[in-house]
């Protein structure tokens, strides 16, 4: 792209003269306007606004490092308001009651199924990890004295490769949408972006099997993040009462077969996933609000909390049954931090916690920077199935080799057997009888158990070299692992790496402040929270999740301070890891607020133009031609009896959706326009609507007219062309729109705004200035 076509403006350094009137976007228009009463005030106001917008755009550069993909469709969160909907019989009190009761039943089922999914993953990991680590530990014990240490190393590498190979296999060949933690894709779905195959049953199967085998493969990933995606898939499936992938329809919950209803249930499923992962039902609700649900409904809060509690209780009951202590409700989540008992903190420690939070923000920013660089390299060079499999195998074998080398050659951190309160497979290695190697204790167990060791083992269980070496090694393994073609999460790796350096600070505090009772586990918790917040940039929900996971409300204050400090520090350098991956994928995600300092940007320079419109009565041939020629999902319906030109397309009458037109053609409604379809007829093919290529109409019908008036949205949202970008953004984002029609003072259509039109403007807020850039839109 030539430099002359690049646009960028810094609002602290740039100045514009008032006489610049050059149109700087290819789709911008510069018509002459007049006010409705015939005076010149309207013309003056509109022209002045347009000049300010042109001045704003002068010098704005296209962002060469980021892009937006035009391949993602939006979801229809706006309810269609048409004649057939108005003329249907009003619902009875019984039907309303049944529909509301069904919502609670669906959330109850979502909670139970999500909890059972968590139990399944935990059961698989516990059973096979016990076999794996016991065999490796036994082999090391036998070969330490016999000099055949290559045998346990080979066993370790082969087991890692075997499990990791299974994990990457199901992702690459069964469901590529199950790759990663799934939180970014769920967040985009709830934001209104339709991500292909993200809530399919095959994705759930791949997610469950893939995360269990990835953890067993020794990869630096956790099973907590994918639980959120799994809960969202379960909610989407149960709420529809059907599965297009499996080809069955139970003929229940048909009234929930719309994007709006499904969105609400997916929000509840994501919260149930958090509750099952951390045993934090309140944190699950707040996570769904903070990170997921872009369009929050107040009535959702209680139902989502209900589903989260059911999920936690279900997982708790079944885990107690598996562990032989039925009824012992001490396992509320997949990750159990254990009880932090008798842990106090002094007032002078709060500044230390805040500094630790800032350090966690720096570490998180470094992690995000390195991982994004690696992801860009991966997207460019690791671009086929074979290379994805080979990379995963390489990381799995490297993880085993690093754990082996650190256990044997870094240091001899020997501790008395029994000091580690968590590890089930202590390895003696070259330690004396009755002792075990502390470094091997961190590697020879699941990441969750290693985390509990760092939290609860007494002072002196790990020396500083062990903690620092393990923390650095696991940090870089996590950087390399996140983004592999496996369904792995980030929660546990970041918590584990943060707990290592946090406990190291606690050890240092106990050395310098010998008169105080310093518990290093407390500092390990703050380090874990700070690192996780530095990566994700979550605040409220993360504080509540970690507080619930610890079971000690008194730790909420230091956790909150450290999380806030981590976010503020990390934001000075880059965004959260999930947001960065979303941007890298080119997904048109809309933030909570419009880009800063864009008040001068007029909607004329943002809207799409020219606009494809339909008349209230159109011929079948013309409709077919437009649908095959364009891929738009919404078309304004206009009255073109007035004079139209290249900038005005007729008086706005309504809006018709693509799938509505295809349904009308499929059912041949043009043969009798007096026979009206019912709203349920348009839900028949949801969510996989028929493609226009599947519609075959004989030539003899092409001149028949189809009356669109009964089916079009009679009151589509619209704004006048003198609006600016922030006003349009807030209306579009707040109402969850897919289309926003731009009209002139006489209600003539002059343009249309879609998600991509708004998402392509990004603000980068720095310490010295704020820079707004326009992203390139790709096909």
């Amino acid at each position: 792209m030539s430099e002359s076509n690049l646009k960028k403006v810094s609002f602290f350094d740039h100045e514009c003269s008032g006489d610049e009137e050059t149109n700087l976007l290819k789709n911008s228009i510069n018509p002459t306007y007049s006010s409705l009463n015939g005076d010149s005030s309207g013309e003056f106001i509109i022209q002045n606004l347009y000049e300010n917008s042109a001045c704003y755009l002068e010098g704005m550069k296209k962002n060469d490092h980021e892009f937006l993909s035009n391949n993602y469709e939006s979801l229809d969160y706006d309810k269609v308001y048409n004649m057939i909907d108005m003329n249907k019989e009003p619902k009875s009190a019984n039907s309303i009651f049944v529909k509301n009761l069904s919502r609670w039943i669906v959330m109850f089922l979502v909670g139970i199924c999500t909890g059972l999914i968590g139990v399944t993953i935990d059961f698989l990991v516990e059973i096979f990890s016990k076999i794996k680590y016991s065999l490796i530990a036994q082999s090391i014990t036998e070969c330490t004295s016999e000099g055949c240490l290559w045998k346990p190393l080979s066993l370790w590498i082969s087991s890692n490769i075997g499990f990791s190979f299974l994990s990457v296999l199901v992702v690459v060949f069964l469901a590529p949408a199950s790759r990663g933690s799934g939180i970014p894709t769920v967040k985009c779905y709830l934001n209104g972006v339709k991500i292909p195959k993200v809530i399919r049953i095959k994705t759930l199967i791949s997610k469950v099997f893939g995360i269990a085998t990835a953890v067993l493969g020794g990869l630096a990933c956790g099973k907590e993040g994918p639980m959120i995606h799994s809960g969202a898939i379960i909610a989407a499936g149960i709420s529809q009462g059907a599965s297009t992938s499996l080809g069955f329809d139970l003929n229940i919950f048909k009234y929930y077969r719309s994007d709006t209803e499904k969105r609400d249930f997916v929000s509840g499923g994501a919260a149930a996933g958090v509750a099952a992962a951390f045993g934090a039902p309140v944190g699950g609700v707040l996570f769904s609000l903070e990170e997921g649900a872009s369009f929050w409904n107040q009535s959702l809060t209680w139902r989502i909390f209900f589903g989260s509690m059911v999920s936690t209780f279900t997982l708790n009951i079944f885990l107690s049954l598996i562990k032989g202590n039925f009824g012992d409700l001490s396992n509320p989540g997949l990750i159990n931090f254990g009880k932090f008992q008798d842990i106090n903190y002094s007032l002078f420690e709060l500044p230390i916690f805040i500094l630790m939070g800032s350090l966690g923000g720096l570490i998180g920013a470094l992690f995000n920077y390195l991982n994004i660089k690696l992801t860009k390299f991966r997207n460019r060079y690791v671009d086929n199935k074979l290379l994805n499999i080979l990379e995963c195998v390489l990381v799995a074998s490297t993880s085993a080799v690093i754990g082996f080398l650190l256990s044997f050659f870094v240091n001899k951190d020997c501790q008395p057997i029994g000091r580690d309160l968590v590890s089930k497979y202590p390895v003696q290695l070259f330690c004396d009888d009755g002792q075990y190697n502390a470094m091997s204790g961190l590697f020879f167990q699941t990441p969750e158990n290693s985390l509990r060791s760092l939290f609860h083992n007494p002072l002196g269980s790990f020396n500083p070299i062990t903690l620092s070496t393990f923390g650095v090694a696991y940090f870089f393994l996590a950087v390399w692992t996140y983004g592999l073609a496996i369904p792995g999460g980030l929660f546990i790796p970041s918590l584990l790496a943060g707990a290592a350096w946090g406990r190291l600070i606690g050890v240092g505090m106990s050395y310098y402040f010998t008169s105080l009772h310093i518990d290093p586990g407390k500092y390990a918790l703050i380090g874990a929270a700070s690192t996780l917040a530095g990566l994700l940039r979550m605040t409220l929900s993360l504080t509540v999740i970690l507080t619930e996971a610890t079971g000690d409300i008194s730790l909420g204050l230091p956790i909150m301070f450290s999380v806030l400090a981590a976010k503020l520090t990390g934001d000075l350098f880059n965004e959260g890891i999930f947001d960065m991956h979303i941007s890298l994928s080119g997904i048109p995600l809309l933030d909570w607020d419009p880009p800063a300092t864009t008040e001068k940007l007029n909607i004329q320079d943002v809207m799409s133009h020219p606009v494809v419109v339909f008349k209230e009565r159109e011929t079948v041939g013309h409709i077919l031609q437009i649908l095959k020629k364009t891929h738009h999902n919404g078309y304004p319906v206009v009255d073109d009896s007035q004079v139209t030109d290249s900038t005005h397309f007729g008086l706005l009458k309504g809006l018709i959706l693509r799938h509505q037109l295809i349904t009308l053609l499929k059912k041949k409604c043009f043969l009798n326009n007096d026979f009206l379809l019912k709203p349920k007829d348009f839900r028949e093919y949801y969510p996989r609507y028929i493609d226009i290529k599947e519609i075959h109409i004989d030539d003899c019908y092409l001149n028949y007219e189809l009356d669109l008036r009964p089916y079009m949205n009679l009151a589509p949202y619209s704004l006048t062309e003198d609006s600016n970008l922030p006003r349009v953004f807030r209306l579009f984002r707040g109402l969850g729109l897919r289309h926003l029609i731009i009209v002139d003072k006489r209600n003539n259509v002059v343009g249309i705004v879609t998600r991509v039109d708004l998402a392509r403007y990004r603000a980068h807020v720095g310490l010295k200035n704020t820079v707004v850039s326009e992203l390139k839109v790709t096909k």
Side-chain angles (χ1 to χ4, degrees):
M1 187 176 296
S2 63
E3 186 68 24
S4 60
N5 291 331
L6 302 180
K7 304 186 184 103
K8 189 175 185 180
V9 58
S10 171
F11 287 90
F12 289 82
D13 303 325
H14 181 70
E15 295 182 358
C16 291
S17 59
D19 56 358
E20 293 176 302
E21 302 179 12
T22 308
N23 292 342
L24 298 170
L25 292 181
K26 293 182 179 180
N27 63 348
S28 30
I29 55 176
N30 193 10
T32 301
Y33 302 90
S34 61
S35 62
L36 293 178
N37 58 11
D39 60 28
S40 60
S41 59
E43 180 178 354
F44 171 78
I45 295 174
I46 299 299
Q47 186 65 28
N48 189 49
L49 286 172
Y50 185 78
E51 289 177 359
N52 286 336
S53 182
C55 176
Y56 176 97
L57 287 167
E58 191 274 328
M60 181 186 289
K61 294 184 178 181
K62 291 279 186 180
N63 191 325
D64 293 330
H65 304 291
E66 300 180 48
F67 70 97
L68 278 184
S69 174
N70 206 25
N71 295 326
Y72 293 101
E73 297 182 6
S74 294
L75 295 165
D76 289 309
Y77 287 165
D78 183 30
K79 180 177 174 58
V80 175
Y81 177 75
N82 54 24
M83 288 185 181
I84 60 172
D85 190 61
M86 293 168 52
N87 295 332
K88 68 180 181 181
E89 295 183 3
K91 297 179 181 179
S92 64
N94 288 337
S95 63
I96 296 175
F97 174 79
V98 170
K99 186 175 181 180
N100 291 332
L101 179 63
S102 298
R103 286 192 171 95
W104 290 92
I105 295 174
V106 169
M107 286 309 304
F108 179 76
L109 295 175
V110 168
I112 290 179
C113 292
T114 304
L116 291 176
I117 289 293
V119 171
T120 302
I121 295 174
D122 188 74
F123 178 76
L124 291 174
V125 171
E126 288 296 325
I127 290 296
F128 287 100
S129 63
K130 180 178 180 180
I131 298 173
K132 171 186 173 180
Y133 291 119
S134 61
L135 289 176
I136 296 176
Q138 181 181 356
S139 178
I140 289 178
T141 302
E142 294 174 354
C143 289
T144 300
S145 58
E146 298 178 6
C148 56
L149 291 176
W150 59 270
K151 290 184 179 180
L153 176 60
S154 301
L155 180 60
W156 197 349
I157 293 175
S158 60
S159 62
N160 275 17
I161 290 177
F163 284 118
S164 300
F165 180 75
L166 293 175
S167 180
V168 70
L169 213 60
V170 294
V171 171
V172 169
F173 291 103
L174 178 63
S178 64
R179 182 173 185 165
S181 70
I183 295 177
T185 52
V186 172
K187 181 176 180 178
C188 292
Y189 179 88
L190 295 174
N191 189 263
V193 183
K194 186 176 182 180
I195 308 294
K197 303 179 180 179
V198 72
I199 50 177
R200 300 271 181 91
I201 185 67
K202 289 194 299 184
T203 305
L204 176 63
I205 296 172
S206 175
K207 206 80 178 179
V208 173
F209 181 80
I211 187 54
T213 49
V215 173
L216 289 168
L219 297 174
C221 61
K223 52 183 182 285
E224 287 69 29
M227 275 299 302
I228 299 171
H229 190 187
S230 299
I233 299 173
I234 291 169
I238 292 179
S239 65
Q240 304 304 292
S243 173
T244 51
S245 298
L246 300 180
F248 71 85
D249 190 343
L250 300 178
N251 291 318
I252 58 175
F253 306 140
K254 285 188 174 181
Y255 31 77
Y256 297 144
R257 295 180 185 179
S258 67
D259 289 339
T260 306
E261 294 286 356
K262 186 189 288 188
R263 173 198 67 200
D264 293 344
F265 288 114
V266 168
S267 299
V274 174
F278 293 95
V282 177
V285 175
L286 294 177
F287 176 87
S288 185
L289 173 61
E290 182 178 8
E291 285 295 309
S294 300
F295 315 104
W296 192 258
N297 187 338
Q298 188 177 6
S299 63
L300 277 177
T301 307
W302 183 236
R303 290 201 304 270
I304 291 179
F305 180 68
F306 171 72
S308 300
M309 288 296 294
V310 171
S311 177
T312 301
F313 183 78
T314 301
L315 183 134
N316 215 336
I317 285 290
F318 279 90
L319 284 184
S320 68
L321 179 63
I322 291 174
K323 295 180 180 181
N325 299 313
F326 181 72
D328 179 17
L329 305 182
S330 58
N331 299 283
L334 292 181
I335 177 173
N336 186 358
F337 286 175
K339 296 296 182 181
F340 287 80
Q341 298 177 350
D342 301 326
I343 292 185
N344 300 316
Y345 57 90
S346 304
L347 186 62
F348 88 95
E349 289 181 291
L350 290 179
I352 298 176
F353 296 150
I354 295 175
L355 292 176
M356 290 179 65
S358 297
L359 178 58
L362 292 174
I363 294 174
L366 176 62
F367 183 101
N368 296 353
Y369 172 80
L370 295 176
N371 184 259
I372 288 298
K373 289 293 184 182
L374 179 61
T375 303
K376 291 179 179 179
F377 175 85
R378 204 174 260 144
N379 292 341
R380 178 172 296 182
Y381 298 107
V382 188
D383 56 353
N384 59 58
K385 296 179 179 179
L386 178 60
L387 290 178
N388 276 294
I389 294 173
L390 292 177
E391 186 192 17
C392 184
V393 169
L394 176 61
V395 176
S397 57
T398 303
S399 300
V401 171
I402 289 177
F404 186 86
L405 293 178
L406 291 181
S407 299
F408 280 89
F409 300 111
V410 171
N411 70 95
K412 294 182 180 180
D413 186 3
C414 298
Q415 303 292 337
I417 292 179
R419 174 168 287 182
D420 193 328
L421 305 177
V422 180
S423 179
K424 301 176 182 178
Y425 316 104
V427 179
Q428 182 177 353
L429 288 179
F430 301 108
C431 296
D432 297 333
D433 293 338
Q435 295 182 332
Y436 71 97
N437 185 285
M439 177 69 79
S440 65
L442 292 173
F443 281 103
F444 277 73
Q445 56 185 345
T446 60
E448 288 83 1
N449 287 335
S450 299
L451 185 62
R452 283 197 293 271
S453 295
L454 292 172
F455 283 165
H456 297 291
N457 281 0
L459 183 64
S461 300
F462 306 97
N463 68 32
I465 297 178
T466 298
L467 293 172
S468 57
T469 308
F470 173 81
V472 171
Y474 207 83
F475 174 85
F476 285 104
L477 284 176
V479 170
W480 193 7
T481 302
Y482 187 70
L484 291 177
I486 59 168
L490 258 182
F491 282 89
I492 286 299
S494 54
L495 287 172
L496 191 52
W501 68 259
R503 187 178 178 96
L504 180 62
I505 292 179
V507 171
M509 290 287 293
S510 64
Y511 177 80
Y512 286 105
F513 299 95
T514 56
S515 60
L516 299 176
H517 176 67
I518 300 295
D519 188 340
K522 172 176 56 180
Y523 287 85
L525 175 64
I526 299 302
S530 302
T531 304
L532 183 58
L535 267 68
L536 308 184
R537 311 296 161 78
M538 295 161 51
T539 51
L540 175 62
S541 59
L542 181 58
T543 300
V544 175
I545 288 172
L546 295 179
T547 303
E548 286 187 280
T550 60
D552 190 348
I553 190 64
S554 64
L555 294 173
L557 184 64
I559 290 176
M560 182 188 69
F561 280 149
S562 60
V563 165
L564 182 58
K567 174 178 171 52
L568 294 176
T569 303
D571 284 345
L572 296 177
F573 300 94
N574 48 40
E575 295 178 297
I577 187 66
F578 294 150
D579 293 326
M580 294 180 74
H581 274 267
I582 291 172
S583 298
L584 196 61
S585 301
I587 299 175
L589 185 78
L590 296 181
D591 206 349
W592 288 100
D593 298 307
T597 63
T598 54
E599 291 80 5
K600 292 184 179 180
L601 185 56
N602 189 265
I603 196 59
Q604 298 174 56
D605 297 303
V606 176
M607 67 186 186
S608 297
H609 175 87
V611 184
V612 180
V613 299
F614 284 115
K615 294 181 291 184
E616 293 175 293
R617 296 181 65 92
E618 280 284 5
T619 62
V620 172
H622 181 67
I623 294 175
L624 278 172
Q625 180 186 6
I626 294 298
L627 292 179
K628 291 179 179 179
K629 184 178 178 181
T630 67
H631 299 282
H632 306 313
N633 288 285
Y635 302 88
V637 180
V638 300
D639 178 4
D640 64 346
S641 58
Q642 300 181 5
V643 179
T644 60
D645 52 37
S646 60
T647 60
H648 297 76
F649 304 93
L651 191 66
L652 177 64
K653 290 295 185 178
L655 179 75
I656 191 80
L657 299 178
R658 183 183 188 88
H659 77 84
Q660 290 179 298
L661 292 170
I662 294 177
T663 301
L664 293 173
L665 295 176
K666 173 73 174 178
K667 296 185 177 295
K668 293 183 170 56
C669 294
F670 48 83
L671 297 178
N672 183 6
N673 282 306
D674 294 329
F675 177 76
L676 300 181
L677 298 182
K678 297 180 179 179
K680 65 178 182 179
D681 295 321
F682 293 98
R683 296 196 298 264
E684 180 179 349
Y685 306 105
Y686 179 84
R688 303 184 192 179
Y689 293 116
I690 300 174
D691 190 87
I692 188 60
K693 296 178 182 179
E694 302 176 25
I695 303 297
H696 303 284
I697 296 179
D698 296 335
D699 293 343
C700 59
Y701 297 128
L702 296 183
N703 291 326
Y704 279 54
E705 285 192 340
L706 180 61
D707 191 356
L708 304 182
R709 289 174 295 181
Y711 308 104
M712 68 183 184
N713 190 343
L714 297 172
Y717 288 99
S718 62
L719 276 179
T720 57
E721 58 198 342
D722 55 345
S723 304
N724 62 2
L725 186 141
R727 184 174 181 82
V728 174
F729 188 100
R730 291 189 178 94
L731 179 64
F732 196 98
R733 176 67 167 75
L735 297 176
L737 302 182
R738 189 172 187 173
H739 316 91
L740 182 61
I741 303 171
I742 306 302
V743 297
D744 64 7
K745 294 293 185 181
R746 300 182 185 275
N747 207 38
N748 290 303
V749 176
V750 297
I752 191 168
V753 173
T754 61
R755 173 176 293 270
V756 173
D757 297 322
L758 298 176
R760 61 194 171 109
Y761 294 97
R762 296 282 175 85
H764 304 275
V765 181
L767 293 176
K768 296 183 178 180
N769 58 8
T770 298
V771 176
V772 177
S773 59
E774 181 185 359
L775 308 187
K776 179 182 178 181
V777 179
T778 63
K779 297 294 185 181

